[in-house]
Amino acid sequence: MTKVAIMGATGYAALELIKILLRNPDVEIVALTSRSEESPHISEIHPCLTGRLDLCCEALTPAEIAERSDFVFCALPHVASMEVIPDLLAEGCRVVDLSADYRLSDPAVYEKWYHHVHIDPTRLGSTVYGLPELWSEKIPDADLIANPGCYTSTAILGLAPLMAAGLIEPTGIIIDAKSGVSGAGRNPKLGTLYPECNESITAYGVGTHRHTPEIEEVLTTVGGEEVKVTFTPHLTPMNRGILATMYPRLTKAVSREELLGVYRTFYEGKPFVRIIDAIPATKNVSGTNYCDISVQFAGDQLIVFSATDNLIKGAAGVAVQNFNLMAGYPETTGLIV
Ligand SMILES: NC(=O)C1=CN([C@@H]2O[C@H](COP(=O)(O)OP(=O)(O)OC[C@H]3O[C@@H](n4cnc5c(N)ncnc54)[C@H](OP(=O)(O)O)[C@@H]3O)[C@@H](O)[C@H]2O)C=CC1
Ligand SMILES: CC(=O)N[C@@H](CCC(=O)OP(=O)(O)O)C(=O)O
């Protein structure tokens, strides 16, 4: 039995983590955290868990968490994560961090895009980036995994096969991405109030979104040449899902069938990436750990489409995929629904 704790249990990503982990009979969820001093029962916070998990959300220290658990899912906002992860690791826990705190390799880049000084900079650059479709061999032995961002994994999965094959130019890639509102988390904010975002689509973070350096860094590693993207996220009036529509430039003439073949070969044996003929839609991946990818031509312009559920393949699902590899369970455990 593997004993697991979840920090930030009152949030959206944590709810999905709990639902997925409850499907693994060899996992026991032993601790849930919240800053609340009232220790609410998890079913008060997430009523859909009523009768499924009898635990309260406690304000626990890393040492108290480590006394009970072997693995910790850190589903806290960035900055809050790096304030606890060094202590969790020192106490002997293995950690999957859902935040952005350990994804980038350069503390100066982190500071520039996140506007915070990194307080654990020596782990940047050596922490394993948890995108199993790219680097599954590094995950089983890791003590700390940096779980990818939702926009980033959706974009990277769509572009990596072509970048690795040298079929697209590394610069000038346009990524137009749309997300459901749950991507912004459960903490109330003006922009995610129903009257503000319902029946409306708007771009945000134009030229400044913090997923830009993450996409560029990972794709640079994949292709071996410096990647530059123009990434524009949009908030869309749906609860969940991400669609990335991407416009890379081809380095040589190649047919749609050949490109789909490149994708199928790259993702052979990867259970959660589906290369499809039709244009992907978020409704077809909603509630699942799948990423659906396809390509089309508009004249000479190649267009790549990639769709995920931001809370599953974009957060909790890939976190459990990483955990399964770390703990020695089949990669798909709890994730096929
Ligand atoms: N939502 C998504 O689609 C995705 C989220 N992520 C990342 O996963 C992590 C969790 O996301 P999500 O569940 O959406 O976030 P939520 O805002 O829904 O939940 C985060 C929880 O962390 C707790 N918390 C602890 N410290 C703080 C703090 N200093 N400020 C605010 N909250 C705090 C809060 O619980 P309490 O108040 O009870 O202490 C809160 O409920 C984040 O790092 C996010 O960026 C990654 C990919 C996709
Ligand atoms: C709709 C929305 O607001 N989405 C979030 C992305 C969520 C995510 O993946 O962010 P992390 O890098 O923190 O994990 C945003 O744009 O900040």
Side-chain angles (χ1 to χ4, degrees):
M1 190 66 81
T2 307
K3 294 183 185 304
V4 164
I6 299 173
M7 301 195 74
T10 58
Y12 286 149
L15 170 60
E16 300 302 329
L17 280 169
I18 293 167
K19 288 196 286 189
I20 296 167
L21 290 167
L22 286 174
R23 294 186 208 122
N24 183 341
D26 295 323
V27 165
E28 185 184 1
I29 302 173
V30 292
L32 302 173
T33 78
S34 162
R35 292 166 300 172
S36 167
E37 288 169 8
E38 286 155 20
S39 298
H41 194 276
I42 191 65
S43 60
E44 288 173 48
I45 305 294
H46 301 302
C48 66
L49 294 175
T50 303
R52 298 173 67 192
L53 181 62
D54 187 15
L55 273 180
C56 291
C57 304
E58 303 168 87
L60 299 171
T61 64
E64 289 168 329
I65 294 168
E67 265 173 39
R68 299 188 205 171
S69 55
D70 311 311
F71 280 87
V72 180
F73 290 91
C74 198
L76 301 173
H78 57 268
V79 181
S81 265
M82 64 180 168
E83 285 169 354
V84 295
I85 283 176
D87 289 342
L88 289 169
L89 293 170
E91 295 284 347
C93 291
R94 299 176 75 194
V95 179
V96 179
D97 179 25
L98 280 76
S99 89
D101 279 346
Y102 292 90
R103 294 178 195 155
L104 298 170
S105 61
D106 183 342
V109 177
Y110 180 90
E111 191 174 336
K112 176 182 168 195
W113 291 86
Y114 286 84
H115 314 295
H116 284 274
V117 175
H118 206 287
I119 59 173
D120 188 20
T122 57
R123 285 199 172 83
L124 298 194
S126 56
T127 300
V128 175
Y129 188 80
L131 197 50
E133 286 75 13
L134 298 189
W135 294 300
S136 62
E137 73 285 356
K138 294 186 184 170
I139 294 166
D141 295 329
D143 287 330
L144 172 62
I145 290 287
N147 217 49
C150 50
Y151 285 120
T152 50
S153 45
T154 310
I156 291 163
L157 289 172
L159 295 170
L162 304 186
M163 194 64 76
L167 284 168
I168 53 175
E169 300 284 354
T171 59
I173 300 168
I174 295 169
I175 302 171
D176 177 309
K178 281 105 183 158
S179 173
V181 181
S182 62
R186 195 166 186 235
N187 275 353
K189 302 171 194 86
L190 180 64
T192 57
L193 290 179
Y194 188 81
E196 301 290 334
C197 61
N198 187 42
E199 295 177 15
S200 178
I201 300 180
T202 187
Y204 66 101
V206 179
T208 61
H209 196 280
R210 57 202 174 75
H211 285 181
T212 307
E214 190 183 329
I215 296 168
E216 291 180 342
E217 181 173 328
V218 174
L219 289 176
T220 297
T221 306
V222 168
E225 284 186 274
E226 192 178 2
V227 169
K228 285 286 165 201
V229 303
T230 301
F231 167 58
T232 308
H234 297 72
L235 192 65
T236 60
M238 55 187 188
N239 281 343
R240 55 205 293 165
I242 288 182
L243 178 69
T245 304
M246 300 179 279
Y247 304 83
R249 288 173 302 168
L250 284 168
T251 53
K252 64 175 188 179
V254 54
S255 71
R256 177 172 188 264
E257 286 62 38
E258 286 170 304
L259 290 172
L260 290 174
V262 169
Y263 279 96
R264 291 200 175 98
T265 303
F266 191 91
Y267 289 124
E268 201 174 344
K270 305 294 178 192
F272 296 115
V273 177
R274 301 189 295 195
I275 308 306
I276 62 174
D277 192 48
I279 295 175
T282 56
K283 70 175 181 179
N284 297 328
V285 293
S286 185
T288 81
N289 199 46
Y290 290 114
C291 175
D292 281 359
I293 296 170
S294 194
V295 297
Q296 294 282 344
F297 277 97
D300 290 340
Q301 176 64 57
L302 171 65
I303 309 174
V304 178
F305 303 94
S306 178
T308 61
D309 182 322
N310 55 294
L311 288 173
I312 310 289
K313 187 58 177 160
V318 70
V320 175
Q321 215 182 323
N322 285 318
F323 161 78
N324 286 339
L325 293 167
M326 293 165 85
Y329 298 119
E331 187 174 349
T332 55
T333 306
L335 290 167
I336 303 288
V337 286

